[in-house]
Amino acid sequence: MNFVSVRIITSDVQRLVHFYGEITGMPVTVYTEDFAELATPTCTLAIGSTRTLMLFGGDIARPADNHTAIIEFRVGDVDAEFARLSDLLRNITVQKPTTMPWGNRSLLFRDPDGNLVNFFTPVTAEAIRKFDR
């Protein structure tokens, strides 16, 4: 088995496409007005509209109602990313760059739908070994 994707359901695909393209600096492939993907070397973040839910049987997910998951991106330098994105993150930052007890430097913010996003950089030898496997 191989974990390959997480999908966000939204009522505004284009808004999230723009946001994730801007924060990552990576291209987001828009397949239709209802579906797009941000492909990284290790996983894909899919963005689907509420209309795609009908293909799965109806009202099975609600956009902008996530209170459990955090979408995480490993970055080279959390502090540099925070500086680069300071204007965009001004009103959506949950936690400025902080070194966590488990050895990652972490920046936590919300996307336009309110989903939590974490940029992190391993800073301790133990954390670096964990993520370089």
Side-chain angles (χ1 to χ4, degrees):
M1 184 179 299
N2 190 10
F3 181 66
V4 297
S5 179
V6 170
R7 184 179 312 181
I8 299 172
I9 298 299
T10 183
S11 59
D12 192 338
V13 171
Q14 287 306 313
R15 179 179 63 183
L16 287 189
V17 163
H18 175 75
F19 179 81
Y20 281 98
E22 189 167 348
I23 67 165
T24 65
M26 299 174 69
V28 180
T29 303
V30 178
Y31 294 99
T32 71
E33 66 180 344
D34 291 319
F35 190 79
E37 290 182 330
L38 170 72
T40 75
T42 56
C43 192
T44 296
L45 178 63
I47 301 169
S49 79
T50 53
R51 290 186 295 268
T52 64
L53 297 178
M54 294 305 122
L55 300 170
F56 297 107
D59 188 23
I60 60 168
R62 288 185 306 274
D65 196 29
N66 176 7
H67 299 285
T68 59
I70 302 174
I71 301 161
E72 298 189 300
F73 294 90
R74 181 179 176 179
V75 299
D77 183 335
V78 165
D79 295 282
E81 292 296 325
F82 185 59
R84 177 179 73 88
L85 297 168
S86 63
D87 288 341
L88 179 65
L89 300 182
R90 182 173 312 136
N91 297 320
I92 58 173
T93 299
V94 174
Q95 178 178 288
K96 292 181 179 180
T98 303
T99 302
M100 306 306 285
W102 47 88
N104 290 337
R105 188 125 174 98
S106 176
L107 163 64
L108 194 64
F109 54 95
R110 292 193 182 276
D111 75 11
D113 278 4
N115 299 301
L116 284 169
V117 179
N118 182 35
F119 277 9
F120 74 94
T121 302
V123 294
T124 66
E126 183 177 321
I128 291 169
R129 280 192 300 276
K130 175 182 177 187
F131 289 102
D132 281 342
R133 291 182 190 163

